[in-house]
């Protein structure tokens, strides 16, 4: 009797532990973010723009502080947590070097800069060997002076591997030299220069190729037709046009006769 009871208890205990292990394994599987990688045939970030952005902490904000920072050759900046992919939660006030940000924006272009991941190092002083914090970030907003294009401020958002980030990915149009519609004298109407996607942080595309080589008069390419990594989630209507071949105007047709 005691033996049977002990066996039953042992069986119950084993079943309990198996359930616990199964539950733990399931939770671990759910909590572990999937790994993403760039796929062949899709654009990858250009290594020549792999650059660490150097920053120093900033204790307070305000117009006067911002003006002093810019006068000292620095850009007042903020690093946000990636709470919902776009708007941050906790933030760190920093200042980055004006010359470094200006060089990157000039070399890459504004929209390409805002779709590029960077390592950011916060140091007590720019020339210091001590690193207070090192984090991967995505530039979220860039404010330029309307008249001079001087960099006024820049906002970053943290980009750990587990993050999903909303990104306005630039479009690069190719094949216009062989497009049937353009060869007939029609005009190219570029409707969108960027398209917003929700992207895993590890595979943010530097741009999206838009192939115009088979586009004829009156035809268009919509957001849902763009060729992107299958993990990316389009945040615009699929039928939203990004580019269209426009027919020649009646006046132009008369002139050509």
């Amino acid at each position: 009797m005691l033996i049977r009871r002990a066996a039953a208890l042992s069986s119950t205990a084993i079943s309990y532990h198996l359930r616990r292990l199964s539950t733990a394994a399931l939770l671990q599987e759910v909590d572990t973010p999937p790994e993403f990688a760039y796929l062949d045939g899709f654009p990858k970030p250009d290594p020549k723009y792999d650059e660490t952005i150097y920053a120093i902490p900033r204790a307070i904000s305000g117009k006067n502080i911002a003006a002093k920072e810019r006068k000292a050759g620095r850009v007042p900046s903020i690093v946000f947590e990636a709470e919902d992919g776009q708007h941050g939660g906790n933030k760190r006030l920093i200042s980055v070097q004006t010359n470094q940000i200006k060089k990157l924006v000039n070399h890459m272009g504004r929209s390409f800069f805002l779709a590029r991941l960077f390592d950011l190092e916060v140091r007590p002083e720019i020339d210091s060997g001590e690193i207070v914090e090192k984090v991967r970030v995505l530039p979220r907003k860039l404010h330029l002076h309307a008249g001079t294009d001087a960099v006024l401020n820049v906002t970053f958002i943290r980009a750990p591997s587990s993050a999903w980030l909303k990104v306005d990915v630039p479009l690069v149009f190719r094949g216009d030299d062989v497009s049937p519609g353009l060869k007939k004298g029609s005009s190219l109407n570029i409707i969108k220069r960027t398209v917003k996607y929700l992207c895993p942080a590890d595979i943010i595309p530097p741009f999206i190729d838009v192939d115009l080589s088979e586009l004829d008069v009156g035809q268009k390419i919509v957001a849902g037709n763009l060729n992107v990594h299958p993990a990316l989630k389009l945040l615009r209507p699929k039928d939203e046009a990004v580019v269209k071949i426009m027919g020649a105007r009646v006046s132009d047709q008369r002139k050509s006769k």
Side-chain angles (χ1 to χ4, degrees), residues 73-254:
R74 296 187 292 266
V75 178
S77 307
I78 299 174
V79 180
F80 280 108
E81 298 289 346
E83 282 200 344
D84 65 354
Q86 185 170 20
H87 304 95
N90 296 330
K91 65 182 181 181
R92 172 189 278 275
L93 299 177
I94 60 169
S95 292
V96 296
Q97 294 174 292
T98 302
N99 289 342
Q100 185 179 27
I101 301 301
K102 186 176 180 180
K103 180 192 73 173
L104 287 169
V105 174
N106 288 344
H107 286 182
M108 300 179 66
R110 179 175 180 169
S111 60
F112 294 88
F113 172 74
L114 293 172
R116 173 81 188 203
L117 293 175
F118 294 95
D119 286 329
L120 184 141
E121 287 185 5
V122 181
R123 303 184 175 197
E125 299 292 338
I126 291 295
D127 297 330
S128 172
E130 179 187 352
I131 299 176
V132 176
E133 182 181 17
K134 183 173 182 177
V135 63
R136 189 173 65 169
V137 296
L138 174 74
R140 168 59 66 210
K141 294 180 182 177
L142 177 71
H143 290 167
L144 304 178
H145 189 280
T148 65
D149 280 344
V151 182
L152 298 179
N153 56 64
V154 58
T155 299
F156 300 96
I157 195 162
R158 294 176 187 268
S161 292
S162 59
W164 286 74
L165 303 172
K166 294 177 182 178
V167 184
D168 289 307
V169 184
L171 304 180
V172 173
F173 300 91
R174 307 184 192 276
D176 55 317
D177 55 333
V178 296
S179 164
L182 295 178
K183 279 190 170 184
K184 294 173 184 175
S186 296
S187 60
L188 181 66
N189 180 20
I190 296 177
I191 302 166
K192 293 288 183 181
R193 296 281 181 178
T194 63
V195 175
K196 189 182 289 291
Y197 287 87
L198 185 63
C199 308
D202 287 342
I203 55 167
I204 295 173
F207 58 87
I208 296 170
D209 272 318
V210 184
D211 185 10
L212 307 174
S213 62
E214 297 182 4
L215 217 58
D216 210 336
V217 179
Q219 293 183 331
K220 62 184 178 181
I221 296 176
V222 298
N225 294 147
L226 298 175
N227 187 29
V228 299
H229 192 293
L232 270 58
K233 299 178 182 179
L234 180 64
L235 297 178
R236 304 296 302 171
K238 290 184 178 181
D239 59 352
E240 184 176 69
V242 298
V243 64
K244 184 177 182 179
I245 303 292
M246 304 294 291
R249 293 176 296 183
V250 174
S251 58
D252 293 336
Q253 292 174 354
R254 287 173 179 170

Side-chain angles (χ1 to χ4, degrees), residues 13-52:
I14 291 172
S15 176
Y16 171 74
H17 284 295
L18 285 174
R19 286 198 303 272
R20 286 192 61 190
L21 288 172
S22 298
T23 303
L26 180 61
L27 288 173
Q28 185 176 6
E29 184 178 345
V30 170
D31 291 341
T32 302
E35 294 182 2
F36 295 101
Y38 289 99
L39 301 177
D40 292 338
F42 293 100
K44 299 178 177 63
D46 192 333
K48 74 178 181 180
Y49 297 119
D50 287 344
E51 188 164 339
T52 298

